[in-house]
Every structure is written in C-alpha cells, then in structure tokens.
C-alpha cells in the first residue's frame, strides 16, 4: 500500500462513482424507465397532438422545437434526484459513516456523488434522445455546445441535489424542492415555448430562471436557435457550479447534517 | 509507540450536554484496551471523535503519531471501526460492501478481493458473499462489520460493543478471532457491557463516567484492588441449624445454598476449613458476579457520589 496519494484518491473516487452507477442501474425500473415513459407521453401529447395545431416555432416544427428542452428537462431532473435520494439514503441508513471514517477528502465525496448523478442524468438523456428519434429528426448544429451544456447542466443539478441531500431530514424533504421549485422552474424555463412570446415583464422575470439558460443553450447546440446569448448561458452555469461547489464543500467541512 | 493519544478532549453537543470533560488517554501499540463505562458515560462520543464521526469541542487526538486535526487523511488510514449500530447499505451484497470499503481507503479492487475473501472465510460469511446485507442474521451482520473494518488492514481496530446481542457461541468465536488478530499486531480498543469480555480479552482498561476517566490502569492492577469477593457455595446436604461462620459474612439462600463474602486476606482455604469442621460438604461453587463487574460498580458508585 505504498501507492501515491493521487492513486489512492482515484481509487476512492472510482469506488464511490461505481457504487452510485451500480445503484441506479440496480433499481432501473425506478430510475431509468419512468423518465422514458414520461417523456414519450410529452412527445405524444405536446409534440404530436397539440404541436400539430400550434404549427412552427422559430422556424421549426413544434415537436422539433420542444425536443431539446424535453431532453434537458429529463437530464436535470434525474441528475438532481439521483444525488438527493442517494445521499439522503446513505444518511438515513447511516452508511455514510463508511465514507466519513475513511481517509477520503470532502471534495472527493462530493465529486463521487456528483459524477454518479451526472452519469444518471446523461443515461436518462440518452434514453430520452433515443425515444425522441421516433418523433423527430434530431440534428446537432453545434456538437461542442450541445455536449458541454448537457454535461454542465447535469453537474449543476447534481450539486443542487447534493445540498438538498445534506439538509434533508426526511424523505419528504428531498421531494419538496423538486416538486415546488424544480418542476415549476423547468416548465417556465422555455422548454415548451420561446420567451419572446411572453409580455416584456415576464420575459425579464424569466431571465432569473437558470433553467432558461440551459434549455436555450442546449437548443442552440441542437437547432442553432436561442432566446439567450450562449456565452451568457455558459457564464451563468459555470458561476452557479462554482458557487454550489463552494457551498457544498463548506457544508461538508462543517459536517452539517452528517456529523454530530 | 503510542497507537492512540488523547489530550484534554472535550465535547459539548448543541443541546448543551457535555459528554467529555477533558479526558486524557493513551493506548500503546499492540495493546488490547477496554474502554468501559455505564450508558451515557461518554464511550461512544470518545470513539466518535477518534473515528471522525463526532466533531470535538477542544483537545487533541493523535493516532500513531499523526494529529487527527492536522492530517486527518493519514490519521484515519490507521483506523478500522466497528460501530455499535449496523451502518451498511442493506441492499448491497456482502462482498461489494467489503470491496467498496477497501476502495474508500484507496485499496484497488484487485488487492481488496483476496483480502475480502480471506475475511469472509475467517468470519464464516463466505456462503453469504453474494447475499444482500439486509438478508443476514444479526450475528452475521456483526461479523460483516468486523470484516469491513479489517478489509484495509488497519493498525488500530476500534470496536464499539461488538458482541451486543450475539449468542454465547458466536461471542466466544469472535473473542478467539479478536485475540488472534491482536496477537498478529493489531491494536484493539473495545467498549463492551460484558465485563467478562473485557476481563478475558483486555490487558489495559479505562473506565469513563460522566465524561471523566475515573480509572486507567492495567487489568491485573485493577483486579488486585478488589478486596472482597462474593461466592455462592452449593452444599451436598442441608445446612445445619446451628451453622456459624465467624471469619466472613454469609447469607443463607436456601437449605443447600449459601452466599459468602470473602476478604482477600481471609482466602478460600480458611472458609473450606471452617465448613469442613462443621461437616459441611461443598458440591460446587461460583463467583456471584464477575470480579471486574464488582470493581466497576464500586468505581462508578464512588464517582457518582462525588458529583
């Protein structure tokens, strides 16, 4: 066991990440299947049935217009839910102690969970993308922007899920944020419409919604159109990731919710 | 070398409860050390601080010369912890739990796997290696926690009531296992409510009560402090009506059973002589309570009286 500290850290991170991936694959009927079914319904109802009556939006069929938003919605919801529920479960069953007694620095605990949540977000995003191929002809206008935006969004919401998991004292408390904050923000984040359709006042209010930036930047990556400047979207997301990372590390350092 | 050194350790919880009031403790490398105390005395808080599950209020903890606060990663790498409560993911398979725990200590799976297999064999869990942990019996779960604590070859093993709720056969096999790994060089700190366990296994002992260490010595010296022992004698025939015993206090429990409190200076021989002189035959005898238990109760009562 004379291995270097970097190697030991890599092994610890890999162990945590593998455990997280193994977990969401083991319970795939709860983690991977429901988003596929829900998003299929979105495509059928909003895209096919209602969308054909709406016509075009920003020069694209409505179905094609909403597809990037629906993919992004599934990514952020699942990245968030994975970390929040997994981290809270580890507190609830006390097996978080396995990590707390081990020589794992706080940033690696955070990185392991966030990587696991990001992996689930991307897995679900991939599944929903496959589903969308039955309804749309997907194209990618800007490959780098598409992939970097989906990964950064998953990371950002995985961090949010981690902080939720730290504060949560019951399973109810990991459902409150997704139900009362995340879902409304997602629906109001330009998944189903362009904010140019809104009155001026609500357009300005919408700019305070971080999901708007992600959806639009991702849509820009796929379709080449956006309500928001893509550089602004990247700056906003990177700033949020930096702030959430610092806050999560601070909570871990203080032992909030995990140490007496 | 000192395996564990604690200096002036205090812990006050948010609710105002002061669980540790500035304790000092040293455990030498290779020792089998007992930390005893009544419920709520501060044992689990002490172990919690050593294993980083509880944040100390002040003081220092040094593990094999490494300050836990200054270099937590190195200090933690020496420790294996068997906590009081089951704390593994019940949905994970037994072997996965062990390999993951080794991974947290930076041991790659290819090295952890043979070590995990060895421990699963030694602790009688090999047949359950692919079983989800929640499906194990209580005794198996205890053994799984011991295996998990040892999978990264720690130099200091801390066991917080490892045999609580374990049947006597399993308890004895765990004692044999712990003795073996101690002989192989692992320093062991044990808390237990079974004082017989501490007396049989441990060489040194500290007793903690109300957040203070009230005794810290080697087991032999501590037992030498016991001036009186109470024995129960089972007699062959009924005790005569005119029975008397002047050299010790006694209590007749029934016609053929008598309890005698014997001074260390008096000794057993003189008791037997006195009984023989009155034509009383003894079938068998036993200690009324474990010797350490008598001492422990005496020390704790004394400590409470001074509060």
């Amino acid at each position: 066991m004379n291995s270097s500290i970097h190697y030991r850290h890599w092994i610890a991170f890999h162990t945590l990440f593998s455990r997280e991936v193994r977990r969401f694959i083991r319970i795939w009927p709860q983690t991977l299947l429901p988003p596929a079914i829900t998003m299929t319904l979105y495509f059928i109802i909003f895209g096919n049935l209602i969308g054909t009556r709406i016509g075009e939006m920003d020069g694209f069929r409505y179905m094609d217009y909403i597809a990037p938003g629906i993919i992004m919605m599934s990514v952020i919801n699942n990245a968030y839910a994975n970390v929040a529920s997994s981290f809270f479960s580890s507190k609830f069953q006390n097996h978080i102690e396995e990590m707390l007694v081990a020589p794992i620095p706080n940033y690696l605990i955070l990185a392991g969970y966030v990587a696991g949540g990001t992996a689930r977000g991307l897995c679900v995003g991939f599944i929903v993308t496959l589903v969308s191929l039955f309804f749309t002809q997907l194209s990618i206008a800007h490959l780098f922007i598409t992939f970097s935006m989906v990964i950064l969004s998953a990371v950002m919401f995985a961090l949010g899920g981690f902080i939720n998991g730290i504060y949560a004292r019951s399973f109810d408390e990991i459902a409150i944020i997704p139900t009362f904050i995340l879902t409304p923000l997602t629906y109001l984040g330009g998944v189903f419409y362009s904010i140019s359709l809104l009155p001026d006042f609500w357009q300005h209010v919408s700019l305070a919604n971080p999901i708007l930036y992600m959806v639009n930047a991702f849509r820009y990556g796929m379709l080449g159109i956006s309500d928001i400047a893509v550089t602004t979207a990247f700056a906003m997301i990177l700033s949020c990731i930096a702030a959430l990372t610092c806050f999560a590390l601070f909570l871990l350092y203080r032992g909030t919710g995990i140490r007496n | 070398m000192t395996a564990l050194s604690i200096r002036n350790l205090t812990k006050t919880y948010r609710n105002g409860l002061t669980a540790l009031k500035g304790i000092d403790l040293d455990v030498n490398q290779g020792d089998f050390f007992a930390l005893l105390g009544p419920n709520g005395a501060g044992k689990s808080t002490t172990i919690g601080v050593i294993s980083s599950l509880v944040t100390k209020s002040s003081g220092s903890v040094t593990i094999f010369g490494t300050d836990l606060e200054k270099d937590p990663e190195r200090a933690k790498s020496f420790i294996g912890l068997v906590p009081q409560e089951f704390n593994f993911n019940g949905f994970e398979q037994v072997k996965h739990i062990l390999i993951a725990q080794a991974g947290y200590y930076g041991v790659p799976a290819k090295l952890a796997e043979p070590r995990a297999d060895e421990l699963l064999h030694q602790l009688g869990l090999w047949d359950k290696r692919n079983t989800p942990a929640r499906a194990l019996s209580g005794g198996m779960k205890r053994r799984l926690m011991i295996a998990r604590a040892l999978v990264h070859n720690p130099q200091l093993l801390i066991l917080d009531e490892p045999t609580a709720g374990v049947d006597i056969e399993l308890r004895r096999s765990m004692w044999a296992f712990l003795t073996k790994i101690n002989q192989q060089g692992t320093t062991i700190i044990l808390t237990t409510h079974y004082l017989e366990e501490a007396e049989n296994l441990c060489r040194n002992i500290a007793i903690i009560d109300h957040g203070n260490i009230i005794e810290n010595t080697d087991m032999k010296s501590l037992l030498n402090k016991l001036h009186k022992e109470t024995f129960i004698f089972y007699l062959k025939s009924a005790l005569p009506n005119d029975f008397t015993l002047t050299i010790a206090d006694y209590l007749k429990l029934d016609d053929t059973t008598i309890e005698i409190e014997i001074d260390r200076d008096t000794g057993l021989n003189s008791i037997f002589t006195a009984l023989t002189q009155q034509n009383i035959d003894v079938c068998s005898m036993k200690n009324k309570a474990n010797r350490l238990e008598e001492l422990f109760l005496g020390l704790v009562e004394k400590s409470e009286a001074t509060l």
Side-chain angles (χ1 to χ4, degrees), chain A residues 260, chain B residues 4-13 17-27 35 41-63 67-69 79 158 189 208-214:
Chain A
N260 278 313
Chain B
L4 172 72
S5 177
I6 292 177
R7 288 288 169 272
N8 202 22
L9 185 66
T10 68
K11 172 64 188 175
T12 303
Y13 287 99
L17 173 79
T18 300
L20 299 176
K21 298 171 182 167
I23 64 166
D24 293 328
L25 195 64
D26 286 307
V27 177
L35 182 62
K43 302 186 297 291
S44 293
T45 301
T46 307
I47 285 176
V49 173
I50 299 167
S51 54
S52 308
L53 295 176
V54 174
T55 314
K56 66 184 166 67
S57 299
S58 66
S60 70
V61 176
T62 308
I63 300 156
D67 188 298
L68 184 60
E69 193 171 19
I79 298 178
I158 301 172
I189 299 175
I208 185 167
D209 191 30
H210 291 97
N212 293 306
I213 300 282
I214 57 171

Short mmCIF file of all heavy atoms in Angstrom, two decimals, chain A residues 260, chain B residues 4-13 17-27 35 41-63 67-69 79 158 189 208-214:
data_model
loop_
_atom_site.label_atom_id
_atom_site.label_comp_id
_atom_site.label_asym_id
_atom_site.label_seq_id
_atom_site.Cartn_x
_atom_site.Cartn_y
_atom_site.Cartn_z
N ASN A 260 -22.06 14.87 14.24
CA ASN A 260 -22.58 15.46 15.47
C ASN A 260 -21.68 16.59 15.93
O ASN A 260 -20.48 16.46 15.97
CB ASN A 260 -22.62 14.40 16.58
CG ASN A 260 -23.85 13.56 16.47
OD1 ASN A 260 -24.96 14.07 16.31
ND2 ASN A 260 -23.68 12.26 16.52
N LEU B 4 -2.67 5.41 20.22
CA LEU B 4 -3.67 6.47 20.35
C LEU B 4 -3.31 7.33 21.56
O LEU B 4 -3.01 6.81 22.63
CB LEU B 4 -5.06 5.85 20.57
CG LEU B 4 -6.18 6.84 20.92
CD1 LEU B 4 -6.57 7.67 19.71
CD2 LEU B 4 -7.40 6.10 21.44
N SER B 5 -3.32 8.63 21.34
CA SER B 5 -3.07 9.54 22.44
C SER B 5 -4.14 10.63 22.41
O SER B 5 -4.31 11.31 21.40
CB SER B 5 -1.66 10.14 22.27
OG SER B 5 -1.45 11.08 23.28
N ILE B 6 -4.86 10.74 23.51
CA ILE B 6 -5.92 11.76 23.61
C ILE B 6 -5.52 12.73 24.71
O ILE B 6 -5.14 12.32 25.80
CB ILE B 6 -7.27 11.09 23.94
CG1 ILE B 6 -7.75 10.23 22.77
CG2 ILE B 6 -8.33 12.13 24.29
CD1 ILE B 6 -9.03 9.47 23.04
N ARG B 7 -5.62 14.03 24.40
CA ARG B 7 -5.26 15.03 25.39
C ARG B 7 -6.38 16.05 25.55
O ARG B 7 -6.81 16.67 24.58
CB ARG B 7 -3.98 15.78 24.97
CG ARG B 7 -2.71 14.93 25.08
CD ARG B 7 -2.28 14.69 26.54
NE ARG B 7 -1.23 13.68 26.62
CZ ARG B 7 -1.43 12.36 26.73
NH1 ARG B 7 -2.66 11.88 26.78
NH2 ARG B 7 -0.43 11.51 26.79
N ASN B 8 -6.82 16.17 26.80
CA ASN B 8 -7.77 17.22 27.19
C ASN B 8 -8.97 17.32 26.23
O ASN B 8 -9.37 18.41 25.83
CB ASN B 8 -7.03 18.57 27.27
CG ASN B 8 -7.79 19.54 28.15
OD1 ASN B 8 -8.59 19.12 28.99
ND2 ASN B 8 -7.58 20.82 27.94
N LEU B 9 -9.51 16.18 25.88
CA LEU B 9 -10.59 16.13 24.89
C LEU B 9 -11.92 16.49 25.53
O LEU B 9 -12.33 15.91 26.54
CB LEU B 9 -10.66 14.71 24.29
CG LEU B 9 -11.65 14.52 23.14
CD1 LEU B 9 -11.23 15.33 21.92
CD2 LEU B 9 -11.75 13.05 22.77
N THR B 10 -12.58 17.48 24.92
CA THR B 10 -13.91 17.85 25.41
C THR B 10 -14.90 17.81 24.26
O THR B 10 -14.53 18.00 23.09
CB THR B 10 -13.94 19.28 26.02
OG1 THR B 10 -13.73 20.21 24.96
CG2 THR B 10 -12.90 19.47 27.09
N LYS B 11 -16.13 17.54 24.62
CA LYS B 11 -17.19 17.58 23.62
C LYS B 11 -18.48 18.07 24.28
O LYS B 11 -18.96 17.45 25.24
CB LYS B 11 -17.42 16.20 23.00
CG LYS B 11 -18.64 16.13 22.09
CD LYS B 11 -18.51 17.02 20.86
CE LYS B 11 -19.81 17.08 20.07
NZ LYS B 11 -19.73 18.03 18.94
N THR B 12 -18.98 19.17 23.77
CA THR B 12 -20.27 19.66 24.22
C THR B 12 -21.20 19.68 23.01
O THR B 12 -20.87 20.29 21.99
CB THR B 12 -20.16 21.07 24.83
OG1 THR B 12 -19.22 21.00 25.91
CG2 THR B 12 -21.50 21.56 25.37
N TYR B 13 -22.31 18.96 23.12
CA TYR B 13 -23.26 18.91 22.00
C TYR B 13 -24.06 20.20 21.96
O TYR B 13 -24.09 20.98 22.91
CB TYR B 13 -24.19 17.70 22.15
CG TYR B 13 -23.49 16.40 21.86
CD1 TYR B 13 -23.01 15.59 22.90
CD2 TYR B 13 -23.30 15.96 20.56
CE1 TYR B 13 -22.37 14.40 22.64
CE2 TYR B 13 -22.65 14.76 20.29
CZ TYR B 13 -22.19 13.99 21.33
OH TYR B 13 -21.55 12.81 21.08
N LEU B 17 -25.34 19.44 26.29
CA LEU B 17 -24.82 18.29 27.04
C LEU B 17 -23.31 18.19 26.85
O LEU B 17 -22.82 18.12 25.72
CB LEU B 17 -25.48 16.99 26.56
CG LEU B 17 -24.90 15.72 27.16
CD1 LEU B 17 -25.43 15.50 28.58
CD2 LEU B 17 -25.21 14.50 26.30
N THR B 18 -22.57 18.18 27.96
CA THR B 18 -21.12 17.99 27.88
C THR B 18 -20.83 16.51 28.08
O THR B 18 -20.97 15.98 29.17
CB THR B 18 -20.39 18.84 28.93
OG1 THR B 18 -20.72 20.21 28.68
CG2 THR B 18 -18.90 18.68 28.85
N ALA B 19 -20.47 15.85 26.99
CA ALA B 19 -20.26 14.40 27.03
C ALA B 19 -18.85 14.05 27.46
O ALA B 19 -18.63 13.00 28.07
CB ALA B 19 -20.57 13.79 25.66
N LEU B 20 -17.89 14.91 27.12
CA LEU B 20 -16.49 14.66 27.52
C LEU B 20 -15.94 15.91 28.19
O LEU B 20 -16.07 17.01 27.64
CB LEU B 20 -15.63 14.30 26.29
CG LEU B 20 -16.03 13.05 25.51
CD1 LEU B 20 -15.15 12.90 24.28
CD2 LEU B 20 -15.93 11.80 26.38
N LYS B 21 -15.33 15.72 29.36
CA LYS B 21 -14.91 16.89 30.14
C LYS B 21 -13.39 16.98 30.26
O LYS B 21 -12.86 17.07 31.37
CB LYS B 21 -15.55 16.82 31.53
CG LYS B 21 -17.07 16.86 31.48
CD LYS B 21 -17.69 16.58 32.83
CE LYS B 21 -19.20 16.57 32.76
NZ LYS B 21 -19.83 16.02 33.97
N GLY B 22 -12.71 16.84 29.13
CA GLY B 22 -11.25 16.99 29.17
C GLY B 22 -10.54 15.70 29.52
O GLY B 22 -9.75 15.67 30.47
N ILE B 23 -10.77 14.67 28.73
CA ILE B 23 -10.16 13.36 29.06
C ILE B 23 -8.77 13.23 28.43
O ILE B 23 -8.48 13.78 27.37
CB ILE B 23 -11.06 12.17 28.65
CG1 ILE B 23 -11.25 12.10 27.12
CG2 ILE B 23 -12.40 12.21 29.35
CD1 ILE B 23 -11.83 10.76 26.68
N ASP B 24 -7.92 12.48 29.12
CA ASP B 24 -6.59 12.11 28.62
C ASP B 24 -6.55 10.58 28.57
O ASP B 24 -7.04 9.92 29.49
CB ASP B 24 -5.49 12.57 29.58
CG ASP B 24 -5.37 14.08 29.63
OD1 ASP B 24 -5.63 14.73 28.60
OD2 ASP B 24 -5.05 14.60 30.72
N LEU B 25 -6.00 10.06 27.50
CA LEU B 25 -5.96 8.60 27.36
C LEU B 25 -4.81 8.22 26.44
O LEU B 25 -4.57 8.88 25.43
CB LEU B 25 -7.29 8.14 26.73
CG LEU B 25 -7.64 6.66 26.79
CD1 LEU B 25 -7.84 6.22 28.24
CD2 LEU B 25 -8.93 6.39 26.02
N ASP B 26 -4.08 7.17 26.81
CA ASP B 26 -3.02 6.65 25.94
C ASP B 26 -3.23 5.16 25.75
O ASP B 26 -3.48 4.44 26.73
CB ASP B 26 -1.64 6.88 26.57
CG ASP B 26 -1.22 8.34 26.48
OD1 ASP B 26 -1.25 8.88 25.37
OD2 ASP B 26 -0.92 8.93 27.53
N VAL B 27 -3.10 4.72 24.52
CA VAL B 27 -3.19 3.28 24.23
C VAL B 27 -1.93 2.92 23.46
O VAL B 27 -1.63 3.53 22.43
CB VAL B 27 -4.45 2.95 23.39
CG1 VAL B 27 -4.48 1.47 23.05
CG2 VAL B 27 -5.71 3.37 24.13
N LEU B 35 -12.42 0.11 27.06
CA LEU B 35 -12.96 1.40 27.50
C LEU B 35 -14.37 1.11 28.01
O LEU B 35 -15.27 0.79 27.23
CB LEU B 35 -13.00 2.39 26.31
CG LEU B 35 -13.51 3.79 26.63
CD1 LEU B 35 -12.61 4.50 27.64
CD2 LEU B 35 -13.58 4.64 25.35
N ALA B 41 -21.98 7.49 29.46
CA ALA B 41 -20.78 7.95 30.17
C ALA B 41 -19.84 8.74 29.27
O ALA B 41 -19.07 9.57 29.76
CB ALA B 41 -20.03 6.75 30.74
N GLY B 42 -19.92 8.50 27.95
CA GLY B 42 -19.02 9.21 27.01
C GLY B 42 -18.18 8.26 26.16
O GLY B 42 -17.34 8.74 25.40
N LYS B 43 -18.44 6.96 26.26
CA LYS B 43 -17.64 5.99 25.48
C LYS B 43 -17.83 6.20 23.99
O LYS B 43 -16.88 6.33 23.23
CB LYS B 43 -18.07 4.54 25.79
CG LYS B 43 -17.99 4.10 27.21
CD LYS B 43 -18.29 2.61 27.34
CE LYS B 43 -19.69 2.22 26.92
NZ LYS B 43 -20.78 2.67 27.77
N SER B 44 -19.11 6.22 23.56
CA SER B 44 -19.37 6.32 22.12
C SER B 44 -18.97 7.68 21.58
O SER B 44 -18.53 7.78 20.43
CB SER B 44 -20.85 6.04 21.83
OG SER B 44 -21.12 4.69 22.12
N THR B 45 -19.06 8.72 22.41
CA THR B 45 -18.61 10.05 21.95
C THR B 45 -17.09 10.01 21.74
O THR B 45 -16.58 10.51 20.73
CB THR B 45 -18.97 11.13 22.99
OG1 THR B 45 -20.39 11.13 23.15
CG2 THR B 45 -18.53 12.50 22.54
N THR B 46 -16.37 9.38 22.67
CA THR B 46 -14.91 9.27 22.52
C THR B 46 -14.57 8.55 21.22
O THR B 46 -13.74 9.02 20.43
CB THR B 46 -14.31 8.50 23.72
OG1 THR B 46 -14.76 9.11 24.92
CG2 THR B 46 -12.80 8.49 23.68
N ILE B 47 -15.25 7.43 21.00
CA ILE B 47 -14.98 6.66 19.78
C ILE B 47 -15.40 7.47 18.55
O ILE B 47 -14.73 7.45 17.52
CB ILE B 47 -15.69 5.30 19.87
CG1 ILE B 47 -14.88 4.43 20.83
CG2 ILE B 47 -15.82 4.64 18.51
CD1 ILE B 47 -15.46 3.11 21.12
N GLY B 48 -16.52 8.19 18.67
CA GLY B 48 -16.99 9.04 17.57
C GLY B 48 -15.95 10.08 17.18
O GLY B 48 -15.70 10.32 16.01
N VAL B 49 -15.32 10.70 18.19
CA VAL B 49 -14.30 11.73 17.90
C VAL B 49 -13.08 11.07 17.25
O VAL B 49 -12.56 11.56 16.24
CB VAL B 49 -13.90 12.49 19.18
CG1 VAL B 49 -12.73 13.42 18.90
CG2 VAL B 49 -15.08 13.29 19.73
N ILE B 50 -12.66 9.93 17.80
CA ILE B 50 -11.46 9.26 17.25
C ILE B 50 -11.70 8.88 15.78
O ILE B 50 -10.82 9.00 14.94
CB ILE B 50 -11.11 7.99 18.06
CG1 ILE B 50 -10.79 8.34 19.51
CG2 ILE B 50 -9.93 7.25 17.44
CD1 ILE B 50 -10.75 7.12 20.44
N SER B 51 -12.93 8.44 15.50
CA SER B 51 -13.20 7.96 14.14
C SER B 51 -13.79 9.05 13.24
O SER B 51 -14.27 8.76 12.14
CB SER B 51 -14.12 6.75 14.19
OG SER B 51 -15.28 7.07 14.93
N SER B 52 -13.77 10.30 13.70
CA SER B 52 -14.21 11.45 12.90
C SER B 52 -15.72 11.51 12.65
O SER B 52 -16.15 12.23 11.76
CB SER B 52 -13.49 11.51 11.54
OG SER B 52 -12.13 11.44 11.70
N LEU B 53 -16.50 10.77 13.39
CA LEU B 53 -17.95 10.85 13.22
C LEU B 53 -18.55 11.94 14.10
O LEU B 53 -19.68 12.37 13.89
CB LEU B 53 -18.60 9.51 13.55
CG LEU B 53 -18.23 8.36 12.61
CD1 LEU B 53 -18.84 7.05 13.08
CD2 LEU B 53 -18.69 8.67 11.19
N VAL B 54 -17.79 12.35 15.11
CA VAL B 54 -18.24 13.40 16.02
C VAL B 54 -17.14 14.48 16.02
O VAL B 54 -15.95 14.15 16.06
CB VAL B 54 -18.44 12.84 17.45
CG1 VAL B 54 -18.77 13.96 18.43
CG2 VAL B 54 -19.54 11.79 17.46
N THR B 55 -17.58 15.74 15.93
CA THR B 55 -16.61 16.84 15.94
C THR B 55 -16.30 17.22 17.38
O THR B 55 -17.22 17.47 18.16
CB THR B 55 -17.21 18.06 15.21
OG1 THR B 55 -17.79 17.60 13.99
CG2 THR B 55 -16.17 19.10 14.90
N LYS B 56 -15.02 17.25 17.72
CA LYS B 56 -14.65 17.58 19.11
C LYS B 56 -14.86 19.06 19.37
O LYS B 56 -14.86 19.87 18.42
CB LYS B 56 -13.20 17.19 19.37
CG LYS B 56 -12.19 18.01 18.57
CD LYS B 56 -10.80 17.49 18.83
CE LYS B 56 -9.78 17.99 17.85
NZ LYS B 56 -9.46 19.37 17.86
N SER B 57 -15.01 19.42 20.66
CA SER B 57 -15.09 20.84 21.01
C SER B 57 -13.68 21.39 21.23
O SER B 57 -13.37 22.50 20.81
CB SER B 57 -15.92 21.02 22.28
OG SER B 57 -17.23 20.56 22.07
N SER B 58 -12.83 20.63 21.91
CA SER B 58 -11.42 21.03 22.07
C SER B 58 -10.59 19.81 22.42
O SER B 58 -11.13 18.73 22.66
CB SER B 58 -11.29 22.09 23.18
OG SER B 58 -11.62 21.52 24.43
N GLY B 59 -9.29 20.01 22.45
CA GLY B 59 -8.39 18.90 22.77
C GLY B 59 -7.76 18.33 21.51
O GLY B 59 -7.96 18.87 20.42
N SER B 60 -6.99 17.27 21.69
CA SER B 60 -6.33 16.68 20.53
C SER B 60 -6.40 15.16 20.55
O SER B 60 -6.47 14.54 21.61
CB SER B 60 -4.86 17.13 20.48
OG SER B 60 -4.15 16.52 21.54
N VAL B 61 -6.39 14.60 19.35
CA VAL B 61 -6.36 13.15 19.18
C VAL B 61 -5.22 12.84 18.23
O VAL B 61 -5.15 13.39 17.12
CB VAL B 61 -7.69 12.63 18.57
CG1 VAL B 61 -7.60 11.13 18.31
CG2 VAL B 61 -8.86 12.94 19.48
N THR B 62 -4.30 12.00 18.68
CA THR B 62 -3.16 11.63 17.83
C THR B 62 -3.18 10.11 17.63
O THR B 62 -3.28 9.36 18.59
CB THR B 62 -1.83 12.05 18.52
OG1 THR B 62 -1.94 13.42 18.87
CG2 THR B 62 -0.65 11.86 17.61
N ILE B 63 -3.10 9.70 16.37
CA ILE B 63 -3.15 8.27 16.05
C ILE B 63 -1.84 7.88 15.39
O ILE B 63 -1.49 8.41 14.32
CB ILE B 63 -4.36 7.97 15.13
CG1 ILE B 63 -5.65 8.37 15.87
CG2 ILE B 63 -4.41 6.50 14.75
CD1 ILE B 63 -6.80 8.66 14.98
N ASP B 67 -1.56 13.76 14.11
CA ASP B 67 -2.65 14.53 14.68
C ASP B 67 -3.88 14.43 13.75
O ASP B 67 -3.79 14.74 12.57
CB ASP B 67 -2.22 15.99 14.85
CG ASP B 67 -3.24 16.79 15.63
OD1 ASP B 67 -4.40 16.92 15.17
OD2 ASP B 67 -2.88 17.28 16.71
N LEU B 68 -5.00 14.04 14.35
CA LEU B 68 -6.21 13.83 13.56
C LEU B 68 -6.70 15.12 12.91
O LEU B 68 -7.28 15.10 11.82
CB LEU B 68 -7.31 13.24 14.46
CG LEU B 68 -8.63 12.87 13.82
CD1 LEU B 68 -8.46 11.82 12.73
CD2 LEU B 68 -9.61 12.34 14.87
N GLU B 69 -6.44 16.23 13.55
CA GLU B 69 -6.93 17.51 13.01
C GLU B 69 -5.99 18.02 11.91
O GLU B 69 -6.44 18.52 10.89
CB GLU B 69 -7.03 18.54 14.13
CG GLU B 69 -7.81 19.76 13.74
CD GLU B 69 -8.09 20.66 14.94
OE1 GLU B 69 -7.40 20.52 15.97
OE2 GLU B 69 -9.00 21.49 14.84
N ILE B 79 -7.10 3.52 11.08
CA ILE B 79 -8.22 3.05 11.90
C ILE B 79 -9.18 2.15 11.14
O ILE B 79 -9.50 2.38 9.97
CB ILE B 79 -9.02 4.27 12.43
CG1 ILE B 79 -8.15 5.14 13.32
CG2 ILE B 79 -10.25 3.82 13.21
CD1 ILE B 79 -8.85 6.38 13.83
N ILE B 158 -11.11 -0.39 16.33
CA ILE B 158 -11.95 0.11 17.42
C ILE B 158 -13.29 -0.59 17.33
O ILE B 158 -13.97 -0.54 16.29
CB ILE B 158 -12.14 1.64 17.30
CG1 ILE B 158 -10.78 2.33 17.34
CG2 ILE B 158 -13.03 2.15 18.41
CD1 ILE B 158 -10.84 3.81 17.04
N ILE B 189 -9.08 -1.48 20.56
CA ILE B 189 -9.80 -0.77 21.62
C ILE B 189 -11.23 -1.28 21.60
O ILE B 189 -11.87 -1.30 20.55
CB ILE B 189 -9.78 0.75 21.40
CG1 ILE B 189 -8.34 1.27 21.42
CG2 ILE B 189 -10.60 1.46 22.47
CD1 ILE B 189 -8.20 2.74 21.08
N ILE B 208 -14.77 5.20 32.12
CA ILE B 208 -15.21 6.57 31.92
C ILE B 208 -16.61 6.72 32.52
O ILE B 208 -17.44 5.81 32.41
CB ILE B 208 -15.17 6.93 30.40
CG1 ILE B 208 -15.51 8.38 30.15
CG2 ILE B 208 -16.06 6.04 29.57
CD1 ILE B 208 -15.18 8.84 28.72
N ASP B 209 -16.82 7.83 33.19
CA ASP B 209 -18.16 8.07 33.76
C ASP B 209 -18.40 9.57 33.78
O ASP B 209 -17.52 10.34 34.17
CB ASP B 209 -18.24 7.48 35.18
CG ASP B 209 -19.66 7.48 35.68
OD1 ASP B 209 -20.58 7.37 34.84
OD2 ASP B 209 -19.86 7.60 36.91
N HIS B 210 -19.57 9.98 33.34
CA HIS B 210 -19.94 11.39 33.28
C HIS B 210 -18.87 12.23 32.58
O HIS B 210 -18.55 13.34 33.01
CB HIS B 210 -20.21 11.95 34.69
CG HIS B 210 -21.44 11.38 35.32
ND1 HIS B 210 -21.40 10.32 36.20
CD2 HIS B 210 -22.74 11.68 35.15
CE1 HIS B 210 -22.64 10.02 36.58
NE2 HIS B 210 -23.47 10.82 35.94
N GLY B 211 -18.29 11.67 31.53
CA GLY B 211 -17.33 12.42 30.71
C GLY B 211 -15.94 12.53 31.30
O GLY B 211 -15.11 13.27 30.78
N ASN B 212 -15.67 11.81 32.40
CA ASN B 212 -14.33 11.82 33.00
C ASN B 212 -13.77 10.40 33.05
O ASN B 212 -14.53 9.45 33.24
CB ASN B 212 -14.39 12.34 34.45
CG ASN B 212 -14.77 13.80 34.50
OD1 ASN B 212 -14.14 14.64 33.86
ND2 ASN B 212 -15.82 14.12 35.24
N ILE B 213 -12.46 10.30 32.89
CA ILE B 213 -11.81 8.99 33.09
C ILE B 213 -11.63 8.81 34.60
O ILE B 213 -10.91 9.60 35.23
CB ILE B 213 -10.44 8.93 32.38
CG1 ILE B 213 -10.58 9.17 30.87
CG2 ILE B 213 -9.72 7.62 32.68
CD1 ILE B 213 -11.06 8.01 30.05
N ILE B 214 -12.29 7.81 35.17
CA ILE B 214 -12.19 7.64 36.62
C ILE B 214 -11.20 6.54 37.00
O ILE B 214 -10.85 6.39 38.16
CB ILE B 214 -13.57 7.38 37.26
CG1 ILE B 214 -14.23 6.13 36.63
CG2 ILE B 214 -14.47 8.59 37.14
CD1 ILE B 214 -15.49 5.71 37.37
#
